[in-house]
Amino acid sequence: MSGRFGGDGYGHGYGYDFDLASDAGDHLAGLDGNVPRDERVPIPTPWEPFTAVADLVFRRKVGIVAQRGTAEAAVGRDVAVHAAEQGIPTLLYTARPPASSPGLLTVDGIPHPTARHVMERVAHPPRGRRLGLVVIERYERLRPRERYIPDQYDPVDDPIDDLDHEPPTEADELLWSLREIAITVPLLLTTTVARRPDVSRTVDQWLDVSHPAVVLTEICKPVITLHRTSGRTVDARLALGAHGPQGQRVALEWPNR
């Protein structure tokens, strides 16, 4: 596929300028997973337009929101398998392992991973191969590390505020978990919604602020909301954070697999 994303076609005006004609395969690690790859080159996905907008590069955290039960809800698995097939050692956290598992794909089925668990797996990768990508499906399964939270403020220790302490919400704990994942490897996080995604608006405009999809916007840039419109196209809204630009709705060429 040729042309530049952002200058014309799919996403003009959004601010991105991706070269979809470049061959990311030229920069991939060797198939044994031991040859370093250029970390500035996005991790390849099965769909070139999605590769461009996700831009999974060094230190990047990307969030995906899709409707439960759709093919797009499995984008994490699809990307993980594809990356491993292209020679990139990949770690996939999922409760539903893919049907095929390439040699460079490690699947971790731990029900509730923690930030420490993720970082330890990255620091000590399977078979000694340096990881190039981490994917966490249904990332809301993450759990924060244990921390001390008092039952209430002590007016002696805290004379300014002696109100009862409000316990953290699930959204608070999820946000803590995300913030604690300190890795440089590209990280793809997915979550789902029960209703059809409304790509005409940002997620905080049609979901409760405590929903995992909204929590993603505090950490991930971008958060990509997906909705399939035909057998060959998917509508997507890209958001650059909870307090940044609202992003733009774009159409991606994305044939059914």
Side-chain angles (χ1 to χ4, degrees), residues 142-144 147 149 165-177 208-211 215:
L142 286 168
R143 292 294 181 268
R147 60 183 72 213
I149 300 175
H165 174 74
E166 293 185 7
T169 65
E170 290 185 7
D172 291 332
E173 293 186 337
L174 194 52
L175 183 58
W176 293 341
S177 299
D208 187 85
V209 293
S210 63
H211 193 283
V215 175

Side-chain angles (χ1 to χ4, degrees), residues 24-38 42-45 79-91 102-106 127 129-133:
D26 290 343
H27 306 276
L28 294 177
L31 292 180
D32 63 357
N34 292 322
V35 180
R37 66 185 300 274
D38 188 343
I43 298 292
T45 77
V79 170
V81 169
H82 184 80
E85 290 175 342
Q86 298 302 307
I88 300 173
T90 300
L91 173 61
L104 292 180
L105 177 65
T106 300
R127 298 178 292 278
R129 295 187 176 111
R130 184 172 182 269
L131 289 172
L133 174 66

Side-chain angles (χ1 to χ4, degrees), residues 35-246:
V35 180
R37 66 185 300 274
D38 188 343
E39 294 175 328
R40 298 168 298 177
V41 177
I43 298 292
T45 77
W47 316 275
E48 285 189 11
F50 180 72
T51 300
V53 299
D55 197 26
L56 282 161
V57 295
F58 184 71
R59 295 185 182 274
R60 181 66 58 87
K61 290 182 174 67
V62 176
I64 301 294
V65 180
Q67 186 174 14
R68 193 171 306 139
T70 64
E72 291 66 55
V75 67
R77 266 166 288 167
D78 290 341
V79 170
V81 169
H82 184 80
E85 290 175 342
Q86 298 302 307
I88 300 173
T90 300
L91 173 61
L92 169 64
Y93 286 92
T94 182
R96 302 180 63 184
S100 62
S101 185
L104 292 180
L105 177 65
T106 300
V107 178
D108 193 320
I110 183 173
H112 300 294
T114 63
R116 169 175 284 186
H117 187 276
V118 175
M119 291 188 292
E120 286 180 348
R121 294 302 299 267
V122 172
H124 306 284
R127 298 178 292 278
R129 295 187 176 111
R130 184 172 182 269
L131 289 172
L133 174 66
V134 176
V135 178
I136 305 179
E137 282 200 319
R138 299 298 297 270
Y139 90 99
E140 58 269 26
R141 299 179 298 120
L142 286 168
R143 292 294 181 268
R145 62 181 173 85
E146 293 185 6
R147 60 183 72 213
Y148 170 71
I149 300 175
D151 293 332
Q152 64 181 23
Y153 286 112
D154 187 330
V156 175
D157 294 336
D158 188 358
I160 297 177
D161 190 350
D162 60 354
L163 299 176
D164 288 344
H165 174 74
E166 293 185 7
T169 65
E170 290 185 7
D172 291 332
E173 293 186 337
L174 194 52
L175 183 58
W176 293 341
S177 299
L178 285 179
R179 285 178 172 162
E180 288 172 350
I181 301 178
I183 60 176
T184 59
V185 176
L187 176 62
L188 181 64
L189 302 150
T190 76
T191 191
T192 61
V193 293
R195 58 190 286 192
R196 183 178 119 177
D198 183 354
V199 294
S200 68
R201 299 182 291 168
T202 56
V203 289
D204 62 309
Q205 293 175 324
W206 56 277
L207 290 172
D208 187 85
V209 293
S210 63
H211 193 283
V214 179
V215 175
L216 275 179
T217 64
E218 295 284 348
I219 298 295
C220 298
K221 293 183 181 180
V223 172
I224 307 173
T225 305
L226 302 171
H227 169 60
R228 179 163 292 280
T229 52
S230 75
R232 295 195 60 83
T233 58
V234 169
D235 264 5
R237 172 168 284 277
L238 282 69
L240 293 180
H243 310 293
Q246 291 190 348

